[in-house]
Amino acid sequence: MGYIYTTHFRIAIITKKLSALMKSSHPILVSCITLAALGVSACHLIKHESAEKQEPTITGSIRPEGHPKPAELPGLAKISLPYAMNAALQLVPGNVVSAELEVEDGNLQYSFDIVGADKSITEVEIDAGDGKVLATEKENGKDKD
């Protein structure tokens, strides 16, 4: 939010300086410079906002090439389903209602849906190679780590 305020403040300063120049003998040139400055500021603001919205890419320890068949995935995993489930339940206590070994975002991972004491569902993604937590996500999708 502070960045947007700073950008608007810069535009206001540029506009004031250029309006003083407009009173000179070159109003068309000054108008072109004003439009260019405003365009550059707007583009910079758009790039900054889109960079903030991007989620970081998490790289797991096993990244299968191509499109392995589901029956091939257990042979690629380095940790067992019970080990991964224990890691997920240590992070999010509750009852596992679904478990899956899958390739998501290029990572071989176990994915667990866990119902907590508050009856909310949290998805926990565990790296199938080293057992580290790749991500957690509440049912509403806003708590991605």
Side-chain angles (χ1 to χ4, degrees), residues 48-115:
H48 179 74
E49 286 179 355
S50 65
E52 285 181 351
K53 293 179 182 178
Q54 293 177 353
E55 291 184 20
T57 303
I58 299 171
T59 303
S61 63
I62 300 175
R63 298 190 54 85
E65 293 182 16
H67 300 286
K69 296 177 183 174
E72 298 171 338
L73 298 180
L76 299 174
K78 302 286 186 229
I79 65 169
S80 67
L81 175 68
Y83 183 91
M85 187 180 305
N86 185 43
L89 288 170
Q90 285 182 6
L91 182 67
V92 179
N95 295 310
V96 174
V97 293
S98 75
E100 181 180 12
L101 178 60
E102 62 184 345
V103 176
E104 186 173 310
D105 298 327
N107 301 315
L108 182 62
Q109 65 186 33
Y110 289 98
S111 178
F112 300 96
D113 287 336
I114 301 172
V115 177

Side-chain angles (χ1 to χ4, degrees), residues 5-21:
Y5 175 76
T6 304
T7 302
H8 288 293
F9 183 70
R10 287 181 191 158
I11 292 171
I13 290 172
I14 291 169
T15 304
K16 281 184 180 181
K17 288 181 179 180
L18 289 175
S19 65
L21 287 173

